[in-house]
Amino acid sequence: MKSLLVRDAEKENRFEKHPKRNIVLILLVSCALMTVFAEYALHLKNQRSFRPGIYRYIRLKEHRPLALQRAPIPRSVLEDSDSLK
């Protein structure tokens, strides 16, 4: 009976044996959990606007090639930019 008590007292805690390894493990697990929770929150947010097959997208506006498009610039903006007042 005495030998069991001595062995238990001599054992070290896992966190005392490998502190760096445990800290890294805790950080990796917490980062993984934060990522999972963030993805779940984004999933819930994007559920309202359901588009089948598309979960995340960017809406791009493209102009036809070789098209001449000129945006009219107001006279007041030209005068301010060129300092022609």
Side-chain angles (χ1 to χ4, degrees):
M1 189 70 164
K2 186 176 181 184
S3 64
L4 288 176
L5 294 175
V6 171
R7 285 184 191 162
D8 288 340
E10 289 175 356
K11 286 185 181 178
E12 288 187 21
N13 191 358
R14 177 183 171 167
F15 294 101
E16 291 174 359
K17 282 185 180 179
H18 309 285
K20 290 180 184 177
R21 185 184 303 170
N22 288 320
I23 290 173
V24 169
L25 180 69
I26 290 170
L27 287 176
L28 289 176
V29 168
S30 63
C31 287
L33 286 175
M34 286 190 305
T35 304
V36 168
F37 288 134
E39 287 291 330
Y40 183 70
L42 287 173
H43 171 72
L44 290 178
K45 180 183 175 194
N46 291 334
Q47 250 180 352
R48 295 184 193 120
S49 59
F50 180 73
R51 291 173 183 84
I54 300 174
Y55 297 107
R56 296 181 186 171
Y57 66 95
I58 299 173
R59 186 176 299 161
L60 300 174
K61 183 177 179 182
E62 296 182 12
H63 301 288
R64 292 180 292 155
L66 302 176
L68 296 175
Q69 296 180 351
R70 295 186 179 147
I73 301 173
R75 193 85 158 143
S76 60
V77 173
L78 283 176
E79 290 173 354
D80 288 340
S81 65
D82 293 338
S83 302
L84 296 175
K85 281 188 174 183

